[in-house]
């Protein structure tokens, strides 16, 4: 509940602009979680915002601290990524040190990370040793603080002078008006002059700090992107000083004289937004909201400075009676301005936060969030003092008005001085936020998925309920907590102990009893038992829990548990093997006999890669190409030769290749385009004819072709797969459907998702009979449950990925090719996690994958002429790495939406009250 209330306050009192992000590291290649192959020659770093290459660098150090890179840091893909080359790296742990200059806010951000090369097992404790960038840049905060105060004072003073003092009815002081206006002019020029001096000093300090940080000349600092914005800010500051000297010569402060200062001040605060969070996000809406925050903070805090240091001293020149009346009548006028500002922020504040960071957990756990809490506390005190003026000072003054004993000016002056001091402190906190790191930079969960550990279940027998909790639920030592009760949660009266046994029948591990200790036995609560059990390795384990009863039969429950590492707890190492000749390897097939067979899109040949010798062999035939492969029960490797309109097979014993031309199919005016190929359990060969909306079955025994016509035109049948019942499943990439053909009678049944699948191409069955489909143009993979006839979709994070071929690893994770980017996608269907694993080689064009007998994943790099495999190592879990949660999750939108609605209602009511107070006081004073 406390956390909930805290977030409500954070969202409702976000008055001051959130500005200035930093370029924190989003991804590195290599990284500590994925071993790079020996011989790696480059290090790549991706950042959250653009960086300046002239003042940015990556250094790579070996285990002895020697710098080994080629000192050639450059942009990689764009201004969001850097690359440095190295000599071929040997096995070991390396450290990369980075220093980058933000093109947005001008901060020079140092950082460091480690990565592993070759066959190295990484110590899990190294994950916590990566160097983080500074969370708050104190010198920059100190330099920008005077400018923040100064621009707030100047803009707030000119706005308040125009819309509050400039529109105020001055009839009651008409006899003293000339003297008051002259004095007001002097005070106004003093307060704005102080503000402009602060801005000017801040500008000088900003470029000085930047020059020192970059270790360069001021001229070079100005030539950076940040320097250009600084130069614009300095020019605007000089223009404002010129306007100020011109206004100072005037005897009267007219509206016409103030307009140029207002325009220039509005331009000045825009420079803050151009080096802010909004600009870093690249979203125009965020920049606009950031600017609005600067504006309303000036109306609020700058208005307070104007009130206490300009208007109230001006009123002190009036006769006592008029002084008190003018002080009283201006309270509701200022309240109206403040309430309008608050109303705007209640709408824009949560929206801006949503654009920049919407993870409630990250916000509340970061240093940034702690600074926001401090800012809220100060703002709350200021709002409380303002309420005190309106509900106490103003109310008492109204009550005593006719008696003539009102005392407003002094109380107002004292209270506003306190608010002015608090306003300066608040702006100091904002300066720290301005030069601090966003929560996502401190707690780097950007585009990452939360890792949830533990297993919980509630199981029932005839009379007993078992509440089971296993943590962290991974290989190694785990804590098991069991609560035993009846169905209503009461204690079992004749049971005070349980037995827990663990076994793994598939590995021949007999049941082992786990010692359990009674940890809780309150009268009205279930009994709790705790013990330690060990899963020696990942896989399927059986847990038997038995409640020992004295007056009734014992009751037990058997749990079949799949123990596997989370994706964040695996370390990957990619090994690549280059083909001995120029080729276009396309489709890999594991033959179950220690070989990977590979089709070649550039020549009429098949490649064989021996897993034992790691050598390639090639076999040619009379044709043009090989496209897709399948294997029959005799071990023959079948292929399609698409441009030659033929299929064929290689006999693995004789290594002879036999081909067979596919008959011309209607319409015969166009050539057949045979594509995918699949053998069934009777050794019939099925082929998709993608341009004819047909699937062909070939019987080698009868040497006969049979065509099956799909019902929909331009359906473009693509991939094939066979289920345990012998049904042939297919995808239609044109129609966006999947379907199957019953091999017994050739009957067809099709299924469509809602909305239809986008470019369904590759197919893969899991061990539960579900069908996985790669949506090539739909940017995702889908799972179809044939029993429920339902689709589930999983989107991929990379919008340029184009998912294609798929394969399963030894943990049941599904790997998929992303052939337009140099990375493989990995999805854990048991824990709903998805990550990407980078491929060391560039421009690989991976389209298809397979798994060998040990469920190692293999893939083919068509453009780089290689095949690759992924070695997966489970990283032991350290208990300290597991985040504890209380099971209560806050969703940002669920908080923000009702809060905005309540805020609009509240500010509307206070606005109406202030309008009524203003009219009532005007009538009262004029009477």
């Amino acid at each position: 509940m406390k956390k909930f209330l805290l977030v409500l306050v954070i969202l409702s009192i976000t008055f001051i602009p959130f500005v200035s992000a930093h370029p924190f590291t989003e991804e590195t290649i290599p990284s500590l979680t994925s071993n790079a192959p020996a011989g790696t020659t480059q290090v790549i770093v991706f950042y959250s915002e653009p960086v300046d290459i002239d003042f940015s660098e990556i250094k790579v150090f070996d285990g002895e601290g020697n710098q080994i890179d080629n000192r050639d840091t450059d942009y990689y893909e764009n201004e969001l990524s850097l690359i440095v080359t190295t000599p071929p790296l040997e096995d070991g742990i390396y450290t990369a040190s980075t220093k980058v200059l933000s093109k947005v806010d001008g901060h020079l951000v140092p950082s460091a990370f480690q990565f592993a090369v070759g066959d190295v097992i990484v110590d899990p404790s190294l994950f916590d040793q990566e160097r983080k960038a500074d969370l708050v840049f104190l010198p920059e905060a100190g330099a920008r603080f005077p400018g923040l105060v100064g621009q707030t004072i100047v803009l707030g003073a000119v706005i308040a002078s125009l819309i509050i003092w400039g529109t105020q009815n001055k009839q009651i002081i008409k006899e003293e008006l000339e003297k008051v206006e002259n004095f007001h002019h002097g005070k106004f020029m003093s307060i704005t002059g102080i503000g402009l001096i602060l801005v000017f000093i801040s500008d000088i300090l900003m470029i000085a700090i930047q020059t020192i940080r970059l270790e360069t000349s001021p001229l070079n600092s100005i030539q950076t992107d940040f320097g250009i914005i600084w130069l614009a800010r300095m020019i605007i500051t000089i223009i404002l000083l010129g306007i100020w000297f011109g206004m100072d010569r005037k005897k009267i402060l007219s509206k016409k004289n103030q307009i140029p200062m207002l325009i220039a001040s509005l331009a000045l605060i825009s420079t803050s937004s151009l080096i802010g969070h909004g600009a870093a996000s690249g979203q125009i809406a965020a920049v606009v909201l950031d600017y609005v925050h600067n504006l309303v903070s000036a109306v609020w805090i700058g208005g307070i400075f104007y009130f206490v240091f300009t208007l109230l001293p001006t009123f002190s020149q009036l006769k006592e009676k008029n002084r008190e009346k003018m002080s009283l009548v201006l309270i509701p006028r200022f309240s109206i301005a403040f309430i309008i500002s608050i109303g705007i922020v209640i709408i824009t504040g949560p929206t801006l936060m949503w654009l920049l960071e919407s993870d409630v957990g990250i916000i509340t756990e970061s240093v940034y969030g702690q600074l926001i809490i401090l800012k809220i506390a100060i703002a709350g005190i200021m709002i409380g003092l303002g309420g005190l003026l309106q509900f106490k000072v103003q109310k008492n003054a109204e009550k005593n008005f006719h008696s003539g004993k009102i005392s407003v000016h002094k109380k107002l002056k004292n209270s506003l001085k306190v608010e002015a001091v608090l306003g300066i402190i608040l702006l100091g906190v904002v300066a720290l936020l301005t030069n601090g790191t966003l929560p996502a930079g401190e707690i780097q969960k950007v585009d990452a998925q939360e890792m949830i550990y533990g297993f919980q279940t509630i199981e029932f027998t005839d009379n007993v309920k078992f509440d089971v909790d296993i943590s962290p639920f991974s290989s190694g030592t785990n804590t098991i907590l069991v609560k035993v009760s009846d169905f209503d949660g009461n204690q079992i009266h004749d049971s005070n102990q349980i037995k827990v046994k663990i076994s793994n029948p598939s590995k021949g591990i007999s049941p082992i009893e786990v010692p359990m200790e009674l940890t809780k036995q309150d009268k009205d609560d279930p009994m709790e038992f705790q013990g330690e059990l060990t899963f020696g390795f990942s896989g399927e384990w059986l847990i038997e829990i038995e409640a020992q009863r004295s007056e009734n039969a014992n009751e037990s429950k058997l749990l079949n548990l799949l123990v596997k590492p989370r994706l964040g707890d695996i370390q990957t190492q990619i090994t690549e093997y280059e083909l001995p000749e120029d080729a276009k390897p396309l489709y890999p097939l594991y033959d179950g006999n220690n070989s990977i067979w590979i089709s070649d899109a550039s020549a009429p040949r098949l490649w064989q890669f021996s897993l034992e010798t790691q050598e390639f062999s090639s076999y040619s035939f009379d044709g043009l190409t090989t496209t897709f492969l399948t294997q029959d029960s005799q071990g023959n490797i079948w292929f399609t030769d698409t441009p030659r309109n033929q299929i064929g097979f290689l006999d693995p014993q004789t290594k002879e290749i036999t081909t067979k031309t596919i008959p011309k199919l209607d319409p015969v005016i166009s050539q057949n385009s045979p594509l995918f190929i699949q053998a069934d359990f009777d050794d019939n060969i099925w082929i998709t004819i993608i341009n004819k909306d047909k699937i062909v079955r070939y019987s080698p025994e009868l040497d006969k072709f049979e065509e099956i016509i799909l019902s929909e035109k331009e359906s473009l049948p693509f991939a094939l797969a066979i289920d345990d019942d012998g049904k042939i499943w297919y995808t239609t990439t044109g129609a966006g459907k999947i379907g199957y053909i019953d091999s017994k009678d050739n009957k067809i049944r099709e299924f469509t998702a809602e909305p239809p699948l986008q470019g369904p191409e590759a197919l893969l069955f899991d061990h539960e009979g579900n069908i996985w489909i790669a949506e090539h143009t739909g940017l995702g993979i889908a799972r179809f449950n044939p029993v429920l006839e339902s689709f589930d979709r999983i989107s991929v994070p990379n919008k340029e990925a184009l998912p294609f071929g798929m394969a399963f690893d030894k943990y049941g994770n599904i790997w998929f090719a992303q052939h337009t980017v140099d990375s493989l996608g990995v999805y854990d269907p048991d824990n709903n996690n998805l990550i990407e694993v980078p491929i060391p080689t560039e421009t690989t064009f991976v389209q298809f994958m397979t798994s060998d007998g040990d469920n190692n994943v293999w893939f083919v790099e068509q453009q780089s002429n290689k095949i690759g495999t992924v070695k997966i190592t489970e990283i032991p879990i350290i208990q300290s790495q597991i985040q504890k949660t209380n099971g209560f999750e806050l969703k940002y939108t669920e908080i923000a939406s009702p809060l905005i609605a309540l805020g609009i209602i509240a500010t509307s009511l206070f606005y109406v009250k202030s309008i009524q107070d203003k009219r009532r006081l005007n009538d009262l004073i004029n009477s």
Side-chain angles (χ1 to χ4, degrees):
M1 181 57 69
K2 289 182 179 179
K3 189 174 181 181
F4 179 75
L5 293 174
L6 172 62
V7 175
L8 286 178
V9 177
I10 288 176
L11 293 175
S12 61
I13 316 181
T14 312
F15 285 65
I16 308 301
F18 294 84
V19 291
S20 291
H22 308 305
F24 59 84
T25 303
E26 288 192 329
E27 181 185 358
T28 66
I29 303 175
S31 69
L32 195 57
T33 59
S34 179
N35 282 34
T40 292
T41 58
Q42 60 186 24
V43 175
I44 304 169
V45 185
F46 295 86
Y47 293 98
S48 60
E49 63 185 62
V51 298
D52 192 326
I53 188 62
D54 293 330
F55 297 95
S56 302
E57 64 179 357
I58 304 174
K59 296 180 180 179
V60 181
F61 300 90
D62 62 18
E64 297 179 356
N66 302 313
Q67 184 175 353
I68 58 172
D69 60 88
N70 295 325
R71 292 175 169 81
D72 57 352
T73 302
D74 201 352
Y75 286 128
Y76 176 54
E77 293 180 344
N78 49 40
E79 294 180 345
L80 294 169
S81 56
L82 298 178
I83 183 173
V84 68
T85 63
T86 66
L89 299 180
E90 300 177 351
D91 291 6
I93 303 293
Y94 295 83
T95 300
S97 173
T98 67
K99 182 177 67 174
V100 294
L101 176 68
S102 169
K103 277 199 165 189
V104 178
D105 62 16
H107 287 134
L108 190 67
V109 183
S111 186
F113 63 92
Q114 293 180 306
F115 62 92
V117 172
D119 193 12
V120 177
I121 302 298
V122 179
D123 182 354
S125 63
L126 292 178
F127 285 98
D128 298 325
Q129 296 180 9
E130 295 191 10
R131 176 183 171 189
K132 300 297 182 183
D134 296 337
L135 297 181
V136 179
F137 289 72
L138 293 177
E140 286 83 353
R144 298 184 191 185
F145 172 60
L148 188 60
V149 174
Q151 71 184 30
T152 299
I153 291 175
V154 174
L155 182 57
V158 71
I159 290 177
S161 175
L162 284 170
I163 68 174
I164 297 178
W165 175 247
T167 60
Q168 174 62 38
N169 186 341
K170 306 178 182 70
Q171 187 66 27
I172 62 174
I173 58 169
K174 61 181 179 179
E175 297 178 357
E176 303 174 89
L177 186 57
E178 183 177 354
K179 178 182 70 173
V180 166
E181 291 289 10
N182 287 333
F183 192 87
H184 175 264
H185 176 264
K187 286 294 181 181
F188 178 87
M189 298 312 299
S190 296
I191 191 68
T192 53
I194 292 172
L196 288 175
I197 290 172
L198 289 174
V199 173
F200 185 80
I201 292 173
S202 174
D203 290 347
I204 300 299
L205 290 175
M206 286 167 62
I207 200 64
I209 294 295
Q210 188 74 353
T211 300
I212 294 171
R213 284 282 197 185
L214 298 182
E215 299 177 353
T216 186
S217 67
L219 182 60
N220 289 336
S221 296
I222 293 173
Q223 291 175 351
T224 64
D225 287 58
F226 169 79
I228 292 172
I229 298 175
W230 174 89
L231 184 61
R233 182 179 177 86
M234 177 57 82
I235 292 172
I236 295 171
T237 303
I238 294 172
I239 292 173
L240 276 167
L241 286 169
I243 294 171
W244 185 90
F245 281 109
M247 292 174 63
D248 193 45
R249 291 184 175 184
K250 307 289 183 181
K251 292 184 178 180
I252 301 296
L253 192 66
S254 67
K255 293 181 180 179
K256 183 178 179 181
N257 294 337
Q258 296 178 71
I259 294 300
M261 179 173 280
L262 173 64
I263 294 173
S265 298
L266 291 172
L268 181 67
I269 66 170
S270 69
T271 60
S272 295
S273 297
L274 292 176
I275 55 173
H277 282 175
S281 71
Q283 302 179 71
I284 295 178
V287 178
V288 173
L289 290 171
D290 191 67
Y291 183 82
V292 170
H293 275 293
N294 280 286
L295 179 59
V296 297
S297 68
V299 173
W300 178 34
I301 299 176
I304 291 174
F305 274 90
Y306 171 78
F307 204 161
V308 71
F309 295 112
T310 299
L311 270 189
L312 290 180
T314 298
F315 292 164
S316 65
Q317 304 301 306
L318 296 170
K319 295 176 183 179
E320 182 180 355
K321 185 176 181 180
N322 288 341
R323 179 177 69 230
E324 299 300 333
K325 286 182 178 180
M326 290 301 296
S327 299
L328 175 61
V329 79
L330 282 177
I331 292 177
R333 291 181 66 82
F334 266 96
S335 297
I336 291 171
F338 297 156
I339 289 169
I340 291 174
S341 300
I342 293 170
I344 293 172
V345 170
I346 286 176
I347 297 173
T348 59
T351 306
L352 178 58
M353 179 62 86
W354 177 70
L355 289 172
L356 300 178
E357 179 54 72
S358 60
D359 190 312
V360 176
I362 289 181
I363 295 171
T364 56
E365 293 170 11
S366 63
V367 171
Y368 190 89
Q370 295 169 7
L371 288 173
I372 290 178
I373 294 171
L374 177 59
K375 184 188 75 172
I376 291 168
I378 298 170
I381 296 172
M382 295 177 68
I383 293 172
L385 290 173
L388 182 66
L389 289 176
Q390 192 173 31
F391 288 98
K392 187 175 181 181
V393 176
Q394 174 187 315
K395 187 175 181 181
N396 291 338
E398 284 187 67
K399 187 184 298 183
N400 299 325
F401 183 81
H402 291 293
S403 67
K405 298 178 180 180
I406 59 173
S407 177
V408 176
H409 185 271
K410 185 175 181 180
K411 294 179 180 179
L412 192 59
K413 187 175 182 179
N414 292 336
S415 177
L416 288 179
K417 282 183 177 179
V418 174
E419 286 197 56
V421 172
L422 290 173
I424 293 176
I425 297 173
L426 191 147
L427 290 174
V429 176
V430 172
L432 296 176
L433 289 169
T434 297
N435 296 276
T437 302
L438 272 173
E442 177 185 349
I443 306 172
Q444 292 193 14
K445 288 175 64 176
V446 177
D447 294 329
Q449 300 185 26
E450 182 180 2
M451 205 64 63
I452 301 175
Y453 293 92
F455 169 82
Q456 294 179 332
T457 185
I458 297 177
E459 301 290 339
F460 297 90
T461 61
D462 291 341
N463 303 291
V464 176
K465 179 174 75 172
F466 296 105
D467 191 335
V468 183
D469 188 320
I470 303 175
S471 178
F473 195 60
S474 65
S475 60
T477 303
N478 293 260
T479 299
I480 179 171
L481 179 68
V482 181
K483 297 180 182 179
V484 183
S485 66
D486 61 18
F487 294 167
D488 296 324
N490 301 315
Q491 283 192 15
I492 306 296
H493 72 278
D494 64 338
S495 177
N496 60 4
Q497 66 179 41
I498 64 170
K499 279 188 178 182
V500 175
K501 295 180 180 180
I502 179 173
S503 63
N504 191 314
S506 64
K507 301 295 183 180
I509 299 177
S510 302
I512 301 171
E513 186 170 344
V514 178
M516 300 294 292
E517 179 182 350
L518 180 62
T519 57
K520 184 177 180 181
Q521 191 176 11
D522 295 337
K523 182 178 180 181
D524 298 325
D525 296 323
M527 288 184 294
E528 293 185 8
F529 299 86
Q530 183 174 312
E532 285 193 356
L533 55 81
T534 300
F535 298 117
F537 45 84
S538 294
E540 291 190 356
W541 291 81
L542 294 180
I543 303 292
E544 182 182 6
I545 303 175
E546 183 180 63
Q548 304 286 300
R549 307 191 65 173
S550 59
E551 300 178 9
N552 297 276
N554 296 338
E555 300 196 39
S556 63
K557 193 68 180 180
L558 192 64
L559 306 180
N560 193 339
L561 306 180
L562 174 63
V563 180
K564 59 181 289 188
R566 276 56 170 180
L567 293 181
D569 298 323
I570 63 172
Q571 178 181 329
T572 60
Q573 178 184 353
I574 290 179
T575 304
E576 298 169 302
Y577 304 90
E578 187 170 1
L579 274 71
E581 301 177 27
D582 289 338
K584 292 291 183 183
L586 175 63
Y587 188 86
L589 174 71
Y590 175 64
D591 64 1
N593 195 27
N594 218 27
S595 289
I596 302 284
W597 293 84
I598 309 154
S599 64
D600 190 340
S602 67
R605 62 186 169 191
L606 289 172
W607 290 93
Q608 181 185 19
F609 178 75
S610 171
L611 299 181
E612 183 177 351
T613 65
Q614 298 178 354
E615 294 179 351
F616 290 92
S617 303
S618 64
Y619 306 95
S620 300
F621 63 95
D622 181 18
L624 295 175
T625 184
T626 52
T627 313
F628 291 95
L629 308 178
T630 188
Q631 184 179 25
D632 63 21
S633 63
Q634 306 300 315
N636 298 316
I637 306 298
W638 289 79
F639 59 86
T640 51
D641 180 356
T642 301
R644 183 61 72 87
N645 185 38
Q646 65 180 358
I647 60 174
F649 70 89
L650 178 144
D651 186 323
Q653 302 300 323
T654 65
K655 300 299 189 292
E656 293 183 358
I657 295 178
T658 304
T659 59
K660 182 68 178 181
T661 301
I662 301 173
K664 290 185 176 181
L665 305 176
D666 290 334
V668 295
I669 192 172
S670 61
Q671 294 290 327
N672 299 337
S673 293
L675 196 63
F676 217 94
I677 189 168
Q678 175 67 52
D680 65 19
F681 298 145
D682 296 323
D683 286 341
N684 296 309
I685 307 300
W686 299 74
I687 311 106
T688 56
I689 311 298
I690 190 170
N691 65 327
K692 297 288 182 73
D693 300 323
K694 296 177 181 179
I695 296 175
V696 172
R697 175 166 62 178
Y698 172 66
S699 172
E701 183 180 355
L702 301 176
D703 191 24
K704 177 183 177 182
F705 285 92
E706 182 180 6
E707 62 181 83
I708 295 94
I709 303 174
L710 302 183
S711 59
E712 193 167 347
K713 291 184 178 181
E714 297 184 1
S715 58
L716 306 181
F718 191 91
L720 295 171
I722 186 170
D723 66 15
D724 292 339
D725 297 327
K727 294 192 288 289
I728 303 297
W729 289 78
Y730 60 88
T731 60
T732 56
T733 189
K737 298 178 181 180
I738 64 170
Y740 68 79
I741 302 171
D742 191 328
S743 57
K744 298 175 182 177
D745 54 16
N746 289 351
K747 288 186 177 179
I748 295 175
R749 187 178 179 196
E750 294 186 332
F751 306 89
T752 183
E754 185 58 43
L757 299 171
Q758 299 181 48
E761 298 197 351
L763 284 175
L764 184 67
F765 279 93
D766 63 23
H767 69 281
E768 295 178 350
N770 299 309
I771 307 171
W772 291 85
I773 310 125
E775 291 190 78
H776 193 56
T777 57
L779 301 178
I781 56 176
R783 174 172 52 192
F784 176 70
N785 186 317
V787 177
L788 301 177
E789 298 183 2
S790 61
F791 289 88
D792 296 313
R793 280 178 156 134
I794 298 94
S795 298
V796 299
N798 194 323
K799 301 307 178 185
E800 299 178 357
L802 300 183
F804 221 154
M806 299 171 288
F808 285 102
D809 65 18
K810 60 184 178 181
Y811 298 121
N813 304 313
I814 185 167
W815 292 67
F816 54 91
Q818 304 182 119
H819 79 265
T820 51
V821 296
D822 296 318
S823 63
L824 305 174
V826 193
Y827 178 67
D828 180 353
D830 300 296
N831 295 299
N832 192 29
N833 278 137
L834 191 151
I835 64 171
E836 290 183 307
V837 175
I839 301 171
T841 303
E842 294 184 26
T843 320
T844 54
F845 213 71
V846 177
Q847 297 187 71
F848 295 98
M849 316 177 74
T850 190
S851 300
D852 63 22
D854 296 324
N855 285 323
N856 297 310
V857 174
W858 291 80
F859 58 92
V860 173
E861 303 174 17
Q862 186 176 33
Q863 294 293 351
S864 52
N865 195 31
K866 299 177 182 178
I867 68 168
T869 185
V870 185
K871 178 182 178 182
I872 302 174
T873 305
E874 182 176 355
I875 301 173
I877 295 177
I878 299 175
Q879 288 286 348
S880 60
Q881 294 176 329
I882 301 174
Q883 295 184 354
K884 301 295 183 181
T885 62
N886 57 9
F888 179 64
E889 181 180 358
L890 292 172
K891 292 186 177 180
Y892 187 88
T893 52
E894 293 176 350
I895 301 170
S897 299
L899 183 67
I900 291 174
L902 290 173
I904 293 173
I905 295 172
T907 51
S908 299
L909 293 175
F910 278 104
Y911 175 79
V912 172
K913 178 186 181 302
S914 296
I915 291 291
Q916 292 174 343
D917 289 349
K918 171 180 169 291
R919 292 173 179 172
R920 187 176 65 254
L921 286 174
N922 284 337
D923 293 342
L924 184 65
I925 291 173
N926 291 330
S927 64

